[in-house]
Amino acid sequence: MFSQTIKFIILSMMLSFLSTGVRAETPKEPLWPILKEIHFEGKTIREDANDLLVIEAPKRAEDAAIVPISVKSLVAQTADKYIKNIHIIIDNNPEPYSANFHLSPELGMIEISTRMRVDQYTFVRAIAEMNDGSLHMVSRFVKASGGCSAPAGKDAAAALARLGKMQIRMRKPTVGEPVQAQVIVSHPNYNGLQFDQKSRRYIDAHYVKNITIRYNDTSLIKVDTGISISEDPSIRFTFTPTVAGTLQADVMDSRDQSFSLNKNI
Amino acid sequence: MKLFYLTLLTLSSLLFSPISTYASEVNIDYSVQEVSSAIYYHQGVHQDANQQNIGAIANVSFIIGERCVAVIDSGGSYLEGQLLRKAIKLKTELPVCYVINSHVHPDHTFGNAAFKADKPIYIGHEKLAAAMRARQAYFARTFEQLLGAAYQGTEFIYPDKTVSVNKPLTLDLGNRAITITAYPTSHTDHDITVFDNSSKTLWTGDLLFSERTPVIDGSINGWIKITKQFLTMEIDTVIPGHGPATAHWQQEFYNQLRYLTVIREGVRAIIADLGTIEQASAVVGLEEQSQWELYEDYHRRNVTASFVELEWE
Ligand SMILES: [Zn+2]
């Protein structure tokens, strides 16, 4: 038994400091002013629109690949006055403009949620665009998860094996009563930054482009999506069936593959 | 037990950064313990990687044969890799011929570059390279910040030789055969274990967490299945990915099995009731809190990851 003391001055470490170039860090400059200019050029956005909209996101992204994000409206949709679009922007993601939900006045109240990838400390914003064109924003700050949680798929083989499988999950609805439903499609939603060992090349981005949810002939939600959406995209929403009918979900991906599922209620 | 005290005089901030006005001194007690004949490991601390612990949060090991040395997981930073290499050189003059990575996570691979001078054969699961490429940019950005100076020198080194599921690979270190086995998706989609045939020592990588909250980065169903398989193996000693090496390894696998099963059953019940990830995170597995280190940091993540897997059962 002995112990030994080594004084170890790491010169190489210090030298490497000299050669270190620009370090990739969480951007310190807020990106929002630029993003606002790109996506809402010249328009006025009312901030902290907490009287209209609520955004829910965890304070910390537990799993960077799967961060649940919900948006609720506090004002009922009517034919005269309704939220036409909800834009979701995740400032510090590789593709900040993350989703656009096109919403029907038929929805009654807006209550939608999805799952997103969150790369790093970021604001997550929901911007409601009313049918009169006015814009109203709410936002939440999400801390990145620590440690080994990367926004990468956990089992690429499994995701690919069930590509295009869909589910519509809901309780047995009562006509005239609001019911919560979930549309989910199995899709790797590759962001194009991932590498395929077999072909020794980067996998081209392959993601869900849009999901359309209709009840009978009325479109309830159409959402344009991208690579910020988690693997196996999921849309949860509330609607009120006024007559018996069919809930229909259609999915289109970036390779123009389409997947559909419906449920009679 | 043999201790190496290492004092790092991080003069870099003093010398090269205009904003720092003092040199910070980091004291690292880097010790390796002999588990059985010619098998040594350094036990990682139950913390997340940071500048003070230099990312030395997972168990890293080496085994010495008559011909050469195999490293099993290389450390959580280039600096830890250097310390491990130094510890090896104090035990033997034989060369390091293999560096085996149990899986991609930074605490198991970031020391790889410290062994480059030995020209070892780097070994991993056939899916390790894909997993590394998918995470590389994210890990580099995140860990450069978390680890600071200890990260400098870290490289992503891909396996030279890979191991496939159902095709174990046996390596001879000189009168000492070790067998590497690849698994289907469990802790990750690319886990391997190492077994020393003579001492019946098993390195599980992160297929076994002891004391520290297990992290699901693959498949909860796959991991439960494999945890059960380990229970039937003939093993004398287990060196887990985290927590002490132990002869009472069955208890550790049972603990992990209980934890994973509690999550699976809890999440299944919430899914069956059309509940959400948020609801599941709030209630599933709370009774496990007192059993695990870093529960607050990893438990809800495990519930989340399990939820999106079990949704497709
Ligand atoms: Zn791990």
Side-chain angles (χ1 to χ4, degrees):
Chain A
M1 305 282 270
F2 66 97
S3 80
Q4 198 177 353
T5 302
I6 306 163
K7 282 240 165 179
F8 194 63
I9 301 168
I10 302 165
L11 278 167
S12 62
M13 211 166 73
M14 295 188 286
L15 288 171
S16 67
F17 259 78
L18 290 172
S19 58
T20 300
V22 179
R23 292 224 251 157
E25 287 183 355
T26 304
K28 288 189 179 60
E29 281 300 309
L31 282 169
W32 171 238
I34 301 159
L35 295 169
K36 179 174 178 282
E37 240 348 85
I38 295 171
H39 299 291
F40 306 96
E41 196 186 339
K43 291 182 183 156
T44 306
I45 299 177
R46 181 169 72 98
E47 302 203 357
D48 301 319
N50 301 310
D51 53 344
L52 176 71
L53 214 57
V54 177
I55 182 167
E56 279 170 10
K59 282 195 182 67
R60 184 180 121 137
E62 302 291 349
D63 184 328
I66 312 145
V67 181
I69 289 168
S70 310
V71 180
K72 288 176 188 156
S73 70
L74 299 172
V75 179
Q77 301 275 87
T78 64
D80 295 344
K81 191 183 178 199
Y82 64 96
I83 300 173
K84 203 172 75 175
N85 296 303
I86 293 177
H87 310 265
I88 306 289
I89 292 188
I90 304 177
D91 291 8
N92 295 337
N93 265 16
E95 193 180 271
Y97 191 91
S98 299
N100 183 3
F101 291 86
H102 308 279
L103 306 165
S104 153
E106 309 277 329
L107 271 173
M109 298 298 277
I110 307 291
E111 205 178 318
I112 43 180
S113 53
T114 185
R115 301 160 186 168
M116 301 281 199
R117 295 176 170 134
V118 173
D119 268 39
Q120 49 190 315
Y121 283 60
T122 187
F123 274 104
V124 178
R125 303 168 192 279
I127 296 134
E129 181 179 349
M130 305 300 293
N131 59 326
D132 66 7
S134 61
L135 297 165
H136 311 263
M137 179 169 82
V138 288
S139 62
R140 270 293 173 93
F141 191 73
V142 178
K143 281 164 72 177
S145 60
C148 56
S149 166
K154 290 177 177 57
D155 191 347
L160 217 51
R162 46 162 210 255
L163 172 82
K165 256 192 159 182
M166 289 179 68
Q167 301 182 56
I168 296 176
R169 296 167 51 82
M170 60 197 293
R171 282 183 215 286
K172 199 173 160 41
T174 310
V175 168
E177 298 283 327
V179 63
Q180 205 178 57
Q182 181 191 15
V183 169
I184 176 164
V185 54
S186 193
H187 199 288
N189 228 45
Y190 283 130
N191 55 20
L193 310 171
Q194 292 157 329
F195 188 80
D196 183 60
Q197 168 77 353
K198 292 241 158 61
S199 62
R200 306 293 304 171
R201 58 194 275 272
Y202 284 89
I203 298 163
D204 296 330
H206 182 202
Y207 56 91
V208 169
K209 254 175 25 184
N210 57 60
I211 301 172
T212 307
I213 301 162
R214 278 176 299 172
Y215 190 62
N216 293 335
D217 286 330
T218 309
S219 166
L220 298 176
I221 298 172
K222 184 184 172 211
V223 54
D224 304 324
T225 52
I227 59 168
S228 285
I229 301 279
S230 302
E231 184 174 298
D232 300 341
S234 160
I235 307 292
R236 209 180 259 272
F237 61 100
T238 302
F239 80 110
T240 306
T242 46
V243 289
T246 304
L247 189 67
Q248 168 89 28
D250 297 296
V251 176
M252 176 72 78
D253 80 9
S254 58
R255 293 182 187 165
D256 289 335
Q257 288 177 283
S258 57
F259 316 101
S260 297
L261 186 68
N262 61 51
K263 196 178 180 96
N264 291 320
I265 54 181
Chain B
M1 183 161 54
K2 292 149 198 183
L3 293 174
F4 308 105
Y5 280 95
L6 176 96
T7 304
L8 298 179
L9 295 173
T10 329
L11 292 169
S12 51
S13 52
L14 177 72
L15 293 176
F16 300 118
S17 167
I19 27 173
S20 287
T21 52
Y22 59 91
S24 61
E25 185 165 304
V26 185
N27 275 299
I28 298 156
D29 165 9
Y30 202 83
S31 61
V32 291
Q33 298 175 47
E34 189 162 13
V35 178
S36 56
S37 169
I39 293 176
Y40 297 86
Y41 88 121
H42 174 265
Q43 196 192 326
V45 291
H46 297 320
Q47 296 170 1
D48 271 334
N50 61 41
Q51 303 199 14
Q52 284 68 47
N53 64 34
I54 66 162
I57 61 168
N59 295 338
V60 297
S61 307
F62 57 97
I63 171 169
I64 308 168
E66 287 178 11
R67 183 175 66 85
C68 62
V69 182
V71 170
I72 301 163
D73 285 341
S74 59
S77 61
Y78 180 68
L79 181 53
E80 191 190 3
Q82 286 181 311
L83 295 175
L84 178 62
R85 184 164 182 265
K86 210 161 191 78
I88 294 169
K89 300 293 172 207
L90 286 168
K91 299 289 176 203
T92 178
E93 286 173 357
L94 292 172
V96 172
C97 49
Y98 300 107
V99 173
I100 302 162
N101 291 128
S102 62
H103 64 295
V104 78
H105 288 150
D107 43 340
H108 303 263
T109 56
F110 273 16
N112 279 2
F115 296 92
K116 268 166 74 179
D118 302 307
K119 299 197 166 61
I121 296 172
Y122 291 88
I123 297 177
H125 193 288
E126 60 180 337
K127 290 182 178 172
L128 172 62
M132 201 175 265
R133 283 205 168 80
R135 291 164 176 78
Q136 182 165 341
Y138 179 83
F139 281 165
R141 188 183 68 226
T142 309
F143 281 83
E144 191 182 22
Q145 287 181 58
L146 288 174
L147 294 169
Y151 181 85
Q152 300 303 317
T154 300
E155 288 175 47
F156 293 84
I157 297 183
Y158 290 73
D160 302 310
K161 195 171 178 63
T162 62
V163 188
S164 306
V165 178
N166 294 325
K167 286 182 194 152
L169 172 72
T170 298
L171 303 172
D172 184 13
L173 307 176
N175 220 359
R176 188 139 201 176
I178 56 172
T179 302
I180 304 175
T181 307
Y183 294 81
T185 306
S186 28
H187 167 62
T188 65
D189 70 353
H190 55 276
D191 301 296
I192 57 173
T193 61
V194 179
F195 187 65
D196 174 42
N197 302 358
S198 58
S199 68
K200 289 192 162 54
T201 302
L202 179 77
W203 287 261
T204 60
D206 279 358
L207 289 177
L208 178 65
F209 279 69
S210 164
E211 301 173 349
R212 184 181 175 118
T213 309
V215 176
I216 302 166
D217 198 16
S219 157
I220 189 168
N221 280 339
W223 203 358
I224 285 174
K225 201 169 151 192
I226 279 158
T227 303
K228 285 178 182 164
Q229 283 173 16
F230 280 122
L231 284 164
T232 65
M233 279 182 71
E234 262 188 56
I235 312 167
D236 281 352
T237 308
V238 163
I239 302 177
H242 300 268
T246 179
H248 307 289
W249 48 273
Q250 280 192 312
Q251 187 54 51
E252 302 304 323
F253 280 113
Y254 277 122
N255 288 348
Q256 179 172 287
L257 186 59
R258 185 198 65 239
Y259 176 72
L260 296 174
T261 307
V262 161
I263 292 182
R264 181 166 72 178
E265 298 322 310
V267 169
R268 276 180 176 163
I270 302 261
I271 291 174
D273 194 39
L274 300 171
T276 62
I277 289 175
E278 295 94 315
Q279 287 163 345
S281 301
V283 299
V284 172
L286 297 181
E287 66 269 39
E288 288 288 322
Q289 178 153 22
S290 61
Q291 305 297 312
W292 302 99
E293 302 275 351
L294 301 179
Y295 173 94
E296 280 299 316
D297 297 302
Y298 290 99
H299 177 69
R300 283 182 297 276
R301 173 204 153 107
N302 289 333
V303 171
T304 305
S306 303
F307 194 104
V308 299
E309 174 187 347
L310 298 173
E311 237 171 7
W312 292 96
E313 283 188 316

